[in-house]
């Protein structure tokens, strides 16, 4: 829009502006400062790159806008942000590469974190078990999400590295619809866990960490001390109960453990409901484990698939393998058992005749013209190639590594239903 306007000295941006796109002010060398309105939620790649005299940027957004790459601003720029949002900016992996200061003038300096040191041993356990509310529901009963990490030392908690990773996980959780639109109905907590060692010295064996997380022999799943996870989380809820659940609040919570490791591994354990077991909204608590993956995009996809898909919405896998063959009795009757709790609304199967538009679980979408061409019947799901079905050819529940994957309509319906049952 203003690419190469070298004589442009000042700009006043509209208070209704939402995005500043790719190279909008690239090489505007006379621009010395600019104020980005609170309404802006996205800054494209190199938006202000090459603005060699730009020294001060005032960003009024209380939630850090998404930065498309690491070169949105020139090197050496100082970013002024609202005092209340300072922590979120310095914990944000994209923003913290710049010098961040509060509007009041406090702060300064880039935030960097030391890599894991296999020889470091924690000595201060005072923060262990303490929890922080990262956000609180502004409406409804409050839906509980709890994050905690394994393999983080005392110094990594003190430096902010731990909180940065938990916040990164929180943002990933709400990055897909319909979670984004209903984020205000969720409570999100972070529990500090101090491990003796940093990371995992051997990713395939137990280490000296708070939860003893390890990658299982299949090379994909993660195991850990699940009882300790519940003990840490229960400190938040105590004996609180949901009225409609007739049981402890923790039994409807979504618990998420992040292993401080760059291996690619993740799993979700979905507990069968202990109370009111014939509900239709996917009731029951879950516990997900996954690693940082060494890649933020892959980490986000894994979290969305395991914690948002399996964990919160109780969705089934929509992928299949060539060796999966025809669905067996365990796969079929297991799915039927899960249906009584409102699970697996996005997959269907048969051990008899093929399912049709009249008999498939999501037939109401097939009869709705608004979903014509968007929802269908595709064979292959639950790990099986034959007699198991999914609603779309591609989705985040099928391709974990696809950053463009979304939840299909039956999956979004399941998520929407559980959100509103828990909130209201």
């Amino acid at each position: 829009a203003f690419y190469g306007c070298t004589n442009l000295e000042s700009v006043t941006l509209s208070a209704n502006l939402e995005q500043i796109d790719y190279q909008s002010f690239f090489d505007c060398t006379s621009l010395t400062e600019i104020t980005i309105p609170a309404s802006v939620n996205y800054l494209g790649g190199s938006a202000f790159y090459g603005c060699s005299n730009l020294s001060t940027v005032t960003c009024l957004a209380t939630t850090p806008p998404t930065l498309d790459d690491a070169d949105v601003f020139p090197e050496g720029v100082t970013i002024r942000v609202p005092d209340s949002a300072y922590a979120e900016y310095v914990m944000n992996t994209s923003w913290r590469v710049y010098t961040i200061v509060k509007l009041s003038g406090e702060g300064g300096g880039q935030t960097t974190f030391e890599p894991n040191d296999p020889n470091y041993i924690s000595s201060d356990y005072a923060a262990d078990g303490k929890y922080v509310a990262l956000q609180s529901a502004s409406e409804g009963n409050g839906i509980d999400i709890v994050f905690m990490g394994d393999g983080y030392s005392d110094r990594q908690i003190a430096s902010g590295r731990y909180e940065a990773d938990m916040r990164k996980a929180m943002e990933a959780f709400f990055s897909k619809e319909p979670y984004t639109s209903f984020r205000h109905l969720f409570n999100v907590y972070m529990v500090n866990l101090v491990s003796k060692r940093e990371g995992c010295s051997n990713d395939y064996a137990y280490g000296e960490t708070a939860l003893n997380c390890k990658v299982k022999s299949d090379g994909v799943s993660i195991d850990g001390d699940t009882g300790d996870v519940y003990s840490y989380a229960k400190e938040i809820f105590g004996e609180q109960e949901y009225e409609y659940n007739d049981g402890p609040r923790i039994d409807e919570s979504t618990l998420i453990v992040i292993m401080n490791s760059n291996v690619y591994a993740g799993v979700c354990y979905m507990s069968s409901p202990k109370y009111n077991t014939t509900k239709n909204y996917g009731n029951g608590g879950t516990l997900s484990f996954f690693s940082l993956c060494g890649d933020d995009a892959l980490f986000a996809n894994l979290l969305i698939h395991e914690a948002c898909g399996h964990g919160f919405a109780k969705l089934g896998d929509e992928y299949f393998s060539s060796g999966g063959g025809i669905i067996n009795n365990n796969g079929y009757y297991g799915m039927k058992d899960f249906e009584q709790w409102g699970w697996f609304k996005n997959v269907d199967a048969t051990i008899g005749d093929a399912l049709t538009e009249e008999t498939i679980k999501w037939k109401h979408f097939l009869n709705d013209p608004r979903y014509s061409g968007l929802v269908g019947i595709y064979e292959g799901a639950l790990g099986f190639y034959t007699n198991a079905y999914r609603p779309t050819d591609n989705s985040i529940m099928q391709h974990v590594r696809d950053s463009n994957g979304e939840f299909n309509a039956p999956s979004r319906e399941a998520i929407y239903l559980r959100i509103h049952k828990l909130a209201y």
Side-chain angles (χ1 to χ4, degrees):
F2 298 93
Y3 186 108
C5 293
T6 56
N7 292 321
L8 184 65
E9 296 181 355
S10 66
V11 176
T12 301
L13 300 176
S14 165
N16 296 319
L17 184 66
E18 294 183 358
Q19 298 186 4
I20 299 175
D21 220 326
Y22 176 68
Q23 293 188 342
S24 291
F25 294 90
F26 186 90
D27 221 18
C28 291
T29 54
S30 296
L31 199 61
T32 59
E33 61 180 352
I34 194 164
T35 297
I36 298 174
S39 54
V40 171
N41 56 48
Y42 172 84
L43 294 166
S46 302
F48 294 92
Y49 195 73
C51 298
S52 54
N53 290 305
L54 183 64
S55 59
T56 303
V57 173
T58 300
C59 188
L60 299 178
T62 53
T63 298
T66 298
L67 300 185
D68 190 55
D69 65 19
D71 295 323
V72 171
F73 302 104
E75 294 181 6
V77 71
T78 296
I79 312 288
R80 301 170 68 239
V81 302
D83 288 26
S84 61
Y86 176 75
E88 287 199 53
Y89 277 89
V90 299
M91 296 299 178
N92 186 289
T93 54
S94 298
W95 283 89
R96 69 182 183 218
V97 300
Y98 303 104
T99 299
I100 307 292
V101 300
K102 298 179 181 180
L103 289 175
S104 62
E106 298 178 13
Q110 295 180 8
T111 304
T112 58
F113 299 118
E114 293 294 325
N116 293 333
D117 181 353
N119 298 313
Y120 182 83
I121 298 178
S122 294
S123 59
D124 183 1
Y125 289 81
D128 189 69
K130 294 185 176 179
Y131 64 89
V132 176
L134 300 181
Q135 78 165 48
S136 298
S138 60
E139 186 180 325
N141 298 320
I143 307 167
D144 302 314
I145 311 292
V146 181
F147 290 99
M148 59 186 79
D150 194 40
Y152 291 85
S153 67
D154 55 354
R155 69 171 187 166
Q156 290 177 323
I157 291 176
S159 71
R161 157 77 188 279
Y162 186 94
E163 183 173 347
D165 285 348
M166 299 304 115
R167 288 188 178 275
K168 176 170 67 175
M170 176 177 68
E171 294 307 317
F173 190 96
F174 294 108
S175 63
K176 297 287 187 182
E177 290 291 1
Y179 291 103
T180 304
S181 292
F182 297 105
R183 179 171 179 165
H184 65 287
L185 300 178
F186 286 81
N187 300 319
V188 182
Y189 302 94
M190 173 191 80
V191 185
N192 289 325
L193 272 64
V194 181
S195 291
K196 181 178 178 180
R197 297 282 187 178
E198 294 181 353
C200 298
S201 57
N202 181 348
D203 290 317
Y204 294 92
Y206 279 92
E208 296 177 286
T209 61
L211 298 174
N212 287 317
C213 281
K214 69 169 183 178
V215 178
K216 297 171 73 172
S217 58
D218 62 8
V220 178
S221 302
I222 296 175
D223 196 8
D225 294 338
T226 57
D228 289 345
V229 175
Y230 282 93
S231 295
Y232 277 111
K234 198 169 182 180
E235 291 299 313
I236 301 172
F237 307 115
E239 299 302 322
Q240 293 184 59
E241 295 188 358
Y242 275 137
E243 290 182 6
Y244 59 82
N245 190 45
D246 299 331
R249 190 177 183 106
I250 193 172
D251 286 340
E252 288 288 2
S253 62
T254 301
L255 308 182
I256 300 170
V257 175
I258 299 167
M259 187 172 76
N260 184 10
S261 170
N262 287 333
V263 300
Y264 174 79
V267 68
C268 178
Y269 298 105
M270 307 196 307
S271 303
S272 57
K274 302 174 184 177
Y275 307 92
N276 288 357
T277 58
T278 56
K279 296 293 185 182
N280 70 341
Y281 57 81
N283 60 321
T286 58
L287 170 56
S288 300
F289 291 94
F290 35 82
S291 64
L292 291 170
C293 299
D295 180 279
D296 284 354
L298 187 57
F299 168 74
N301 291 349
L302 190 59
L303 185 151
I304 293 163
H305 179 94
E306 298 293 351
C308 298
H310 292 314
F312 184 82
K314 312 299 193 302
L315 301 176
D317 283 315
E318 294 179 14
Y319 59 76
F320 55 92
S321 61
S322 57
I326 189 169
I327 192 168
N328 56 33
N329 284 345
N330 287 340
Y332 175 76
Y333 288 110
M335 182 199 71
K336 288 300 178 183
D337 283 343
F338 298 151
E339 287 177 359
Q340 67 178 314
W341 307 323
W343 298 9
F344 285 25
K345 293 182 180 295
N346 65 317
V347 290
D348 209 346
T350 178
I351 54 174
D353 295 333
L355 296 177
T356 67
E357 292 186 4
E358 288 73 38
T359 58
I360 201 80
K361 193 180 293 182
W362 47 88
K363 61 184 179 181
H364 54 295
F365 284 103
L366 301 179
N367 295 324
D368 189 330
R370 293 173 299 176
Y371 293 92
S372 177
L374 300 176
V375 177
I377 302 175
Y378 296 84
E379 196 163 22
L382 295 168
F384 297 96
Y385 187 76
T386 306
N387 279 11
Y389 302 89
R390 63 191 190 278
T392 54
D393 194 23
N394 293 291
S395 79
I396 193 68
M397 296 311 295
Q398 180 182 357
H399 297 295
V400 181
R401 294 175 181 266
D402 183 3
S403 60
N404 295 316
E406 302 289 340
F407 291 108
N408 54 41
S411 296
R412 294 196 306 272
E413 182 185 47
I415 296 167
Y416 182 96
L417 179 60
R418 186 159 198 247
I419 285 175
H420 287 76
K421 286 286 188 178
L422 292 178
Y424 301 110

